[in-house]
Amino acid sequence: MTNEAILVTGGAGYIGSHVVRQLRRRGEPVVVLDNLSTGFREAVGDAELVVGDTGDMALVRDLLARYGVRSVLHFAAHTVVPESVENPLKYYGNNTCHTRNLLACCQEAGVEHFIFSSTAAVYGIPEGEYCDEDSPTAPINPYGMSKLMSEIMLRDLGKATPMRHVILRYFNVAGCNPDGEIGQSTPNATLLIKVASEVATGRREKLYVFGTDYPTPDGTGVRDYIHVEDLADAHLRALDYLRAGGESITLNCGYGHGYSVREVIEAVERVAGHPLPVEEAPRRPGDPPALVARADRIQEVLGWRPRLDDLDEIVRTSLEWERKIARGEAYGA
Ligand code: UD1
């Protein structure tokens, strides 16, 4: 491997692998660090894969030096909200403490650019439907808190060292690479479109609608669903921005409009061509009624534009991938 690779932690996971693929497509040298706890070797394509933990300082030091790393994209994290409530230290350990170790190594090695996967979960239950980057942060679960703590470390480090960062706060990421090469195979997924796709392909018995009495137009939760390919593109633009000397910044990643759970189910039924077995269930603890991005800043600062803002297309790619898994043709089967 040549010098000056980009280090992508968690590059074998759902979102990380989509970013790795786009980076490789434009010829960037990439080294992936992933412990394969929820990621897949096959997902990294032709990028170099090193199996290990982001908290392993000896390993990370070695990688940063060996590959002449100047830019780090940090995806590696646990992401299941209910699990974070049951086992908070797992989340503070992997998401916060390991990020701290990674940052310490980056500081030592003089890494210049750091792109961090954060989440709309930092907003907790917002006052209105929309959140901009200056909305108050008040996470309501350890997952969101573990990410907010990493954001804070990064901002403090940004004041103390020359390293510049982009914090990307993801809203509801969904869909897969339209070519069907990589997809969302994370085990025990809880995300609505993934779960609905599993139901549509018969891999799960039924879909539960968590809460039908929210103060939303049809009583179900409203979210801002962003296609993973558009989100991946935002990372490449964030990297270009930092390389061009851009200041550290925090940006929402969403489309700026929401869909209800019922609207998502209708889309899955439309695309699948048959109804889904659906059952109404109580609200899921910790779910805000509505969470939608104010997404002007990312467009202004990065020149990013939504290209796949189409719920049916998001669902189509998710369903295609799920069918591949069902046929035993995709990893995660
Ligand atoms: C996800 C992210 C979170 C992020 C948030 C941004 C994960 C694990 N969570 O959470 O980090 O901050 O988006 O908005 O990545 N639902 C059902 N039935 C299901 C599954 C979900 O009715 O089987 C409903 C939920 O109650 C919610 C909506 O669908 O109203 C979306 O839920 P989900 O896909 O789990 O994402 P979030 O909880 O919003």
Side-chain angles (χ1 to χ4, degrees):
M1 191 86 192
T2 54
N3 267 341
E4 282 213 20
I6 297 164
L7 175 64
V8 181
T9 76
Y14 168 47
I15 301 170
S17 63
H18 282 80
V19 174
V20 167
R21 185 175 168 282
Q22 289 194 10
L23 287 168
R24 293 295 302 131
R25 285 240 153 151
R26 75 172 197 191
E28 302 266 7
V30 172
V31 57
V32 170
L33 174 62
D34 197 300
N35 65 11
L36 300 182
S37 61
T38 55
F40 296 87
R41 188 177 291 277
E42 301 92 315
V44 307
D46 66 354
E48 182 120 348
L49 171 66
V50 175
V51 179
D53 283 323
T54 44
D56 181 343
M57 293 179 78
L59 174 64
V60 172
R61 271 191 195 110
D62 176 61
L63 285 180
L64 294 178
R66 193 145 48 92
Y67 289 89
V69 173
R70 296 169 60 205
S71 306
V72 173
L73 280 73
H74 179 37
F75 297 90
H78 294 313
T79 61
V80 180
V81 173
E83 186 191 42
S84 80
V85 177
E86 284 157 26
N87 193 353
L89 294 186
K90 177 173 176 180
Y91 279 70
Y92 291 120
N94 190 39
N95 295 4
T96 310
C97 298
H98 283 186
T99 298
R100 185 259 162 218
N101 287 358
L102 174 66
L103 287 172
C105 295
C106 290
Q107 181 181 3
E108 271 169 36
V111 167
E112 293 165 47
H113 319 126
F114 197 97
I115 298 176
F116 177 60
S117 303
S118 191
T119 169
V122 299
Y123 296 118
I125 299 186
E127 273 180 25
E129 181 172 344
Y130 294 95
C131 292
D132 65 33
E133 293 83 352
D134 301 320
S135 298
T137 48
I140 51 168
N141 53 57
Y143 167 67
M145 191 58 87
S146 72
K147 289 283 187 174
L148 182 59
M149 288 163 83
S150 297
E151 284 196 7
I152 292 165
M153 285 191 290
L154 208 43
R155 282 195 206 101
D156 287 344
L157 198 59
K159 289 177 200 145
T161 73
M163 187 171 79
R164 287 168 294 115
H165 61 261
V166 175
I167 293 169
L168 296 174
R169 290 181 177 158
Y170 308 161
F171 281 65
N172 288 58
V173 190
C176 305
N177 155 243
D179 301 341
E181 291 164 18
I182 52 174
Q184 154 68 300
S185 283
T186 316
N188 310 317
T190 55
L191 298 180
L192 177 62
I193 293 180
K194 168 76 178 171
V195 170
S197 301
E198 289 176 356
V199 174
T201 51
R203 299 183 69 236
R204 204 185 270 249
E205 200 185 328
K206 65 172 98 153
L207 181 66
Y208 294 96
V209 178
F210 297 138
T212 53
D213 59 349
Y214 283 111
T216 58
D218 68 15
T220 66
V222 170
R223 296 290 184 276
D224 187 335
Y225 294 91
I226 175 174
H227 196 297
V228 66
E229 286 281 5
D230 272 341
L231 180 68
D233 176 49
H235 290 75
L236 274 69
R237 287 169 188 269
L239 181 63
D240 294 342
Y241 164 83
L242 288 174
R243 282 172 169 168
E247 293 292 314
S248 295
I249 195 163
T250 300
L251 300 169
N252 279 346
C253 297
Y255 288 146
H257 58 83
Y259 292 103
S260 71
V261 174
R262 287 200 203 285
E263 286 173 320
V264 170
I265 294 172
E266 279 165 23
V268 176
E269 292 181 333
R270 200 162 48 235
V271 175
H274 57 81
L276 301 188
V278 170
E279 193 174 308
E280 294 184 3
R283 293 182 180 194
R284 194 171 60 175
D287 274 355
L291 194 53
V292 178
R294 287 261 180 247
D296 310 314
R297 194 182 287 177
I298 186 169
Q299 301 211 22
E300 281 160 27
V301 174
L302 300 186
W304 172 86
R305 297 283 178 274
R307 285 185 298 196
L308 296 158
D309 179 4
D310 176 341
L311 185 59
D312 284 23
E313 173 62 11
I314 290 175
V315 166
R316 189 190 65 74
T317 58
S318 175
L319 212 47
E320 269 308 301
W321 182 254
E322 218 51 52
R323 289 188 178 126
K324 273 186 96 167
I325 295 177
R327 291 196 301 268
E329 292 168 10
Y331 54 84

